[in-house]
Amino acid sequence: MKNWDLTAARAADRKDDLARFRSRFELPDGVIYLDGNSLGPLPVGVRERISELIDNEWRNSLIRSWNAHDWSDLPFEIGRKIAKMIGAEADEVVCVDSTSINIFKNLSTALQLRPDRQVIATPKGNFPTDIYIAEGLSKQLGGNYSVRLIDHEDPIAGIDDDVAVVLLTQTDYRTGYKLDMTAITQAIHDKGALVVWDLAHSAGAFPVDLNGAKADFAVGCGYKYLNGGPGAPAFLYVAKRHQNLVEQPLAGWHGHAEPFAFESHYRPADGILRNICGTSPILSMASLNVALDAFEGVDMQMVQNKSQALCDMFIDLVESRCGEFGFVLATTRDAGRRGSQVSFHHENGYPIMQALIARDVIGDFRAPDILRFGFTPLYLSFEDVWNAVEILHQIMESGNWDQERFHIRAAVT
Ligand SMILES: *Cc1c(COP(=O)(O)O)cnc(C)c1O
């Protein structure tokens, strides 16, 4: 444990090789943003690109833009950029739909590859949409299909010969516990099942190596660590060895072998392309496409190293300076098993988080009692971490968090 103070924090910033990347983001003055794991901030260049797209491409070129401005290639151009960040081949990733919809497609495909097995296994504490989509698919299929809820930290214990596919979020959204993708993929394969990795809290947060882990399928969000903007489209990965073996059920015209032949029957395109359903949201995709350039020349290993240092510092400081106020660490102390976030339990988690947000320290609250703080090394400094804990200390010591207005629950927490 290091003895942090403001001088030590500033010294760490001066030695930080990633500090220069902060200029790639437009952050409001005075805000300490610890929620880039939920909605990434605005990267430099997005505003200009969207204006250009609206003022020139949409307004002037109109429908000609699909060809003239390569709109048609956007799902693949973005896919190629994300592929590099998650250890996939360029033609194994496509930007499409939402994470929820991509989970549906990947699970459906995986089930077809294991026709003699009828269980989808997923952790009981998984992000709700992951569980709900699995349940919806299982109901839709009828028969003996079912969803089995397993343990996130020991998923293998819940897997037997009935399990066709395991849907795992690599980094738990509440606790930040990170699974060893290589070891767990291997263990799942040893049991004869397939795996869908949800990279919502992995892609853009630390190095991911899907191919190195021999992963089967993966999905992830465009608006979290990838900073693509509110509701940005998601990505989907299918290992090349599976791509042409089965069809996914949302067989829209853009996944057809020849969409502009307008045939009366569906024939899937080859490769990753068959996972596209309909027309892409071009404004959102253009935003994500430019946002990803914020990672240009960034070494993800360095991002992980700094993230671990920021998280360790935050844990040390909350425990040493706010220890008397009842915060209980929900995240593991083992940096190797942790995503890029730190969570604390606190019975008054909701009003405390609202009080922090009112002081421009933005994290979020996850029921029932978790204060969640995301650490994004490209734009956060060690001084930010120092200041965030200083403000938390002030709020707790003064009792300022316990105002009526901080107890009122908003629709989005
Ligand atoms: C954020 C998140 C999602 C979001 O899915 P959407 O379809 O984009 O709403 C899904 N899964 C996990 C694990 C998440 O953290």
Side-chain angles (χ1 to χ4, degrees), residues 28-34 354-363 391:
D29 288 339
V31 165
I32 300 175
Y33 196 56
L34 305 178
Q354 299 318 302
L356 276 172
I357 293 170
R359 294 283 309 271
D360 279 344
V361 177
I362 304 180
I391 291 170

Side-chain angles (χ1 to χ4, degrees), residues 261-328:
F262 296 105
E263 295 173 8
S264 295
H265 292 287
Y266 184 74
R267 280 191 295 125
D270 276 341
I272 194 73
L273 211 160
R274 66 175 61 182
N275 293 284
I276 294 185
C277 180
T279 307
S280 301
I282 295 300
L283 289 169
S284 296
M285 279 201 185
S287 166
L288 174 57
N289 193 27
V290 174
L292 288 167
D293 294 341
F295 286 94
E296 188 67 43
V298 169
D299 176 350
M300 289 307 294
Q301 190 56 52
M302 282 172 63
V303 170
Q304 172 162 292
N305 296 346
K306 181 174 168 187
S307 155
Q308 292 179 350
L310 294 172
C311 290
D312 282 339
M313 176 184 180
F314 186 73
I315 293 171
D316 281 358
L317 282 173
V318 171
E319 292 188 335
S320 61
R321 304 199 62 213
C322 303
E324 71 206 89
F325 301 117
F327 293 99
V328 176

Side-chain angles (χ1 to χ4, degrees), residues 59 81 129 208 262 326 334 338 389 397:
R59 181 180 184 277
K81 288 182 186 177
T129 211
V208 175
F262 296 105
D334 176 358
R338 194 168 65 206
V389 180
E397 188 159 68

Side-chain angles (χ1 to χ4, degrees), residues 360-402:
D360 279 344
V361 177
I362 304 180
D364 58 25
F365 173 77
R366 287 293 173 263
D369 66 348
I370 285 198
L371 294 117
R372 188 173 71 156
F373 303 91
F375 291 87
T376 42
L378 294 189
Y379 52 85
L380 280 178
S381 65
F382 291 88
E383 185 170 345
D384 287 332
V385 173
W386 172 265
N387 288 334
V389 180
E390 173 63 28
I391 291 170
L392 178 63
H393 181 258
Q394 288 170 14
I395 286 170
M396 298 312 296
E397 188 159 68
S398 63
N400 171 284
W401 61 270
D402 198 13

Side-chain angles (χ1 to χ4, degrees), residues 98-100 103 126-127 129-130 169 173 198 200-201 221 223-224:
S98 65
T99 302
S100 301
I103 291 170
N126 203 350
F127 190 78
T129 211
D130 296 59
T169 299
Y173 77 104
D198 186 332
H201 296 282
C221 289
Y223 52 81
K224 292 176 177 164

Side-chain angles (χ1 to χ4, degrees), residues 81-330:
K81 288 182 186 177
I82 294 175
K84 279 198 239 163
M85 302 174 70
I86 57 175
E89 295 291 318
D91 54 359
E92 290 179 314
V93 181
V94 72
C95 175
V96 61
D97 297 330
S98 65
T99 302
S100 301
I101 292 174
N102 290 336
I103 291 170
F104 181 85
K105 290 185 283 189
N106 271 352
L107 285 179
S108 304
T109 317
L111 290 178
Q112 291 170 50
L113 289 168
R114 291 290 178 274
D116 50 336
R117 297 173 171 221
Q118 298 190 312
V119 173
I120 302 171
T122 198
K124 56 179 168 292
N126 203 350
F127 190 78
T129 211
D130 296 59
I131 301 175
Y132 303 164
I133 292 282
E135 287 177 342
L137 173 60
S138 150
K139 262 192 244 173
Q140 170 85 7
L141 292 169
N144 296 318
Y145 280 93
S146 65
V147 175
R148 177 182 301 169
L149 297 182
I150 58 174
D151 184 53
H152 177 75
E153 296 187 17
D154 185 17
I156 303 307
I159 298 167
D160 57 22
D161 291 351
D162 296 330
V163 174
V165 56
V166 189
L167 168 61
L168 291 174
T169 299
Q170 188 187 11
T171 309
D172 184 273
Y173 77 104
R174 280 201 192 93
T175 65
Y177 189 86
K178 179 172 98 177
L179 298 174
D180 178 339
M181 181 181 284
T182 305
I184 289 174
T185 300
Q186 177 69 52
I188 290 171
H189 288 169
D190 289 346
K191 300 245 177 182
L194 297 165
V195 62
V196 178
W197 285 103
D198 186 332
L199 303 178
H201 296 282
S202 303
F206 48 78
V208 175
D209 188 4
L210 287 170
N211 282 346
K214 301 192 170 57
D216 301 295
F217 303 91
V219 298
C221 289
Y223 52 81
K224 292 176 177 164
Y225 290 95
L226 299 181
N227 313 307
F235 64 87
L236 171 149
Y237 157 93
V238 179
K240 212 170 279 177
R241 62 185 179 280
H242 298 316
Q243 286 180 357
N244 288 337
L245 297 182
V246 284
E247 297 177 19
Q248 56 90 7
L250 301 179
W253 69 305
H254 278 261
H256 190 277
E258 287 183 83
F260 288 89
F262 296 105
E263 295 173 8
S264 295
H265 292 287
Y266 184 74
R267 280 191 295 125
D270 276 341
I272 194 73
L273 211 160
R274 66 175 61 182
N275 293 284
I276 294 185
C277 180
T279 307
S280 301
I282 295 300
L283 289 169
S284 296
M285 279 201 185
S287 166
L288 174 57
N289 193 27
V290 174
L292 288 167
D293 294 341
F295 286 94
E296 188 67 43
V298 169
D299 176 350
M300 289 307 294
Q301 190 56 52
M302 282 172 63
V303 170
Q304 172 162 292
N305 296 346
K306 181 174 168 187
S307 155
Q308 292 179 350
L310 294 172
C311 290
D312 282 339
M313 176 184 180
F314 186 73
I315 293 171
D316 281 358
L317 282 173
V318 171
E319 292 188 335
S320 61
R321 304 199 62 213
C322 303
E324 71 206 89
F325 301 117
F327 293 99
V328 176
L329 187 64

